[in-house]
Amino acid sequence: MSFTPIVQSLEKSKIRPRSCIWWCPTTEFTLLAIHAAGPYEENKDNLSDVYISSYTPTLATHSCEKAGFSRSVLATFCCHWSSEPRGKGLRCVTPELSIVAKRLEPTVSSLTSLEDSEATVQGALDALNHKQRLHLACHGIPNRQQPFESSFAMRDGPLMIKDIIRSNWQNLEFAFLSACHTTVGDEKSHDESIHLAAAMQSCGFRGVIGSMWSVDDEVARQVVSAFYRKLIRVDDSRRLDCTHAAVALHKAVKSLRNKILLGQQIVFVHMGV
């Protein structure tokens, strides 16, 4: 995919290199990893070398305003278990959660973790009634025939898009969806952005990180570790500023280029602010 005409247009508009740009793809472009465009040739830049990409499902849901974010409380709920349908246990979830807790400990006053038997549908819904940020590690299950029944696999059953949209959560900021297929909609209805990440945005999360396809368990752990290290400012304030999530993801992936395969480098994408 050639991105040269786009970069030329951005340069004419005086958009500086390494700025964050937002993509609002339509039709078949919704299935493409636009942020990964490039010639992939020696001594030539790819798009990710020039700009930091983010996405928005519709122009109506996107806002660049960085207002009113609380930085004092973070909620994390995750689920994992050893026996699952299809036999696909998430071996690296426990190490991933330990990393998240370690990275966030200096910056947050309240960290809630729901694991194993506590990681229920109702437990997840209740937790987000009074929390603003989320890190979710589990299986993502798209349903292309019934998009509103796409779900996250909880201990006692699926947490569906329709459950999320019906919720009345307040003052939400950021969600990291460390799960497979969370930005995948209906292949036959490209312009209907009904997927797990878009559902999170529609219910109030200003920023969401999700995946375009299957994510290797170990890769997810590495990306999560690098992401939170980059997100938290290393200074006296030790601030957790979720408006920098797109930049943090970009830097995290760049730091792992020589460690993970290309298809897994580009699987995670940022949406929103």
Side-chain angles (χ1 to χ4, degrees), residues 209-226:
I209 288 177
S211 62
M212 297 192 72
W213 46 78
S214 295
V215 184
D216 180 81
D217 200 18
E218 169 61 18
V219 169
R221 184 194 65 79
Q222 293 182 63
V223 172
V224 165
S225 177

Side-chain angles (χ1 to χ4, degrees), residues 6-21:
I6 296 172
V7 170
Q8 290 175 342
S9 296
L10 291 171
E11 289 175 343
K12 288 180 181 178
S13 299
K14 298 183 179 180
I15 305 300
R16 296 179 179 178
R18 291 179 292 281
S19 295
C20 189
I21 59 176

Side-chain angles (χ1 to χ4, degrees), residues 66-72 74 104 107-108 133 173-174 227-228 230-233 237-248 270 273:
K66 299 180 180 180
F69 279 13
S70 166
R71 298 181 177 89
S72 59
L74 182 135
L104 298 177
T107 69
V108 301
R133 305 185 186 104
E173 294 186 11
F174 173 73
F227 168 77
Y228 283 107
K230 301 294 183 181
L231 182 64
I232 299 170
R233 290 184 53 177
S237 66
R238 298 290 292 178
R239 293 192 298 116
L240 179 68
D241 189 344
C242 295
T243 64
H244 296 161
V247 175
H270 177 268
V273 175

Side-chain angles (χ1 to χ4, degrees), residues 122-132 167-170 172:
Q122 193 58 51
L125 295 172
D126 291 344
L128 281 169
N129 273 329
H130 56 279
K131 301 295 184 179
Q132 296 169 301
S167 301
N168 188 29
W169 299 329
Q170 302 295 320
L172 300 176

Side-chain angles (χ1 to χ4, degrees), residues 17-209:
R18 291 179 292 281
S19 295
C20 189
I21 59 176
W22 281 263
W23 299 96
C24 184
T26 60
T27 64
E28 286 81 1
F29 282 98
T30 60
L31 305 176
L32 299 180
I34 301 173
H35 61 288
Y40 290 92
E41 298 176 5
E42 190 173 356
N43 299 321
K44 290 186 179 181
D45 287 334
N46 299 319
L47 179 62
S48 60
D49 295 312
V50 186
Y51 291 108
I52 300 167
S53 291
S54 184
Y55 290 84
T56 178
T58 66
L59 293 177
T61 61
H62 176 64
S63 169
C64 292
E65 184 180 0
K66 299 180 180 180
F69 279 13
S70 166
R71 298 181 177 89
S72 59
V73 179
L74 182 135
T76 302
F77 77 80
C78 310
C79 62
H80 65 100
W81 46 88
S82 58
S83 178
E84 299 185 62
R86 307 174 190 173
K88 295 182 179 179
L90 299 176
R91 297 175 295 100
C92 292
V93 165
T94 297
E96 179 178 327
L97 301 189
S98 298
I99 289 169
V100 172
K102 181 179 179 181
R103 297 277 188 238
L104 298 177
E105 185 178 5
T107 69
V108 301
S109 58
S110 176
L111 181 65
T112 301
S113 181
L114 303 182
E115 301 182 42
D116 292 321
S117 62
E118 295 181 344
T120 63
V121 172
Q122 193 58 51
L125 295 172
D126 291 344
L128 281 169
N129 273 329
H130 56 279
K131 301 295 184 179
Q132 296 169 301
R133 305 185 186 104
L134 162 70
H135 183 92
L136 176 61
C138 66
H139 285 305
I141 306 170
N143 187 326
R144 292 182 174 87
Q145 285 70 44
Q146 299 290 332
F148 284 102
E149 294 186 4
S150 295
S151 62
F152 297 110
M154 297 289 105
R155 181 64 174 179
D156 59 342
L159 173 59
M160 298 183 182
I161 281 182
K162 59 186 179 183
D163 300 322
I164 295 168
I165 293 176
R166 288 170 182 165
S167 301
N168 188 29
W169 299 329
Q170 302 295 320
N171 302 316
L172 300 176
E173 294 186 11
F174 173 73
F176 194 122
L177 309 180
S178 183
C180 298
H181 305 291
T182 53
T183 67
V184 179
D186 187 353
E187 293 179 356
K188 297 180 180 179
S189 303
H190 308 293
D191 292 327
E192 296 180 12
S193 299
I194 304 172
H195 50 65
L196 291 162
M200 288 297 188
Q201 270 204 298
S202 70
C203 73
F205 283 100
R206 296 177 175 92
V208 179
I209 288 177

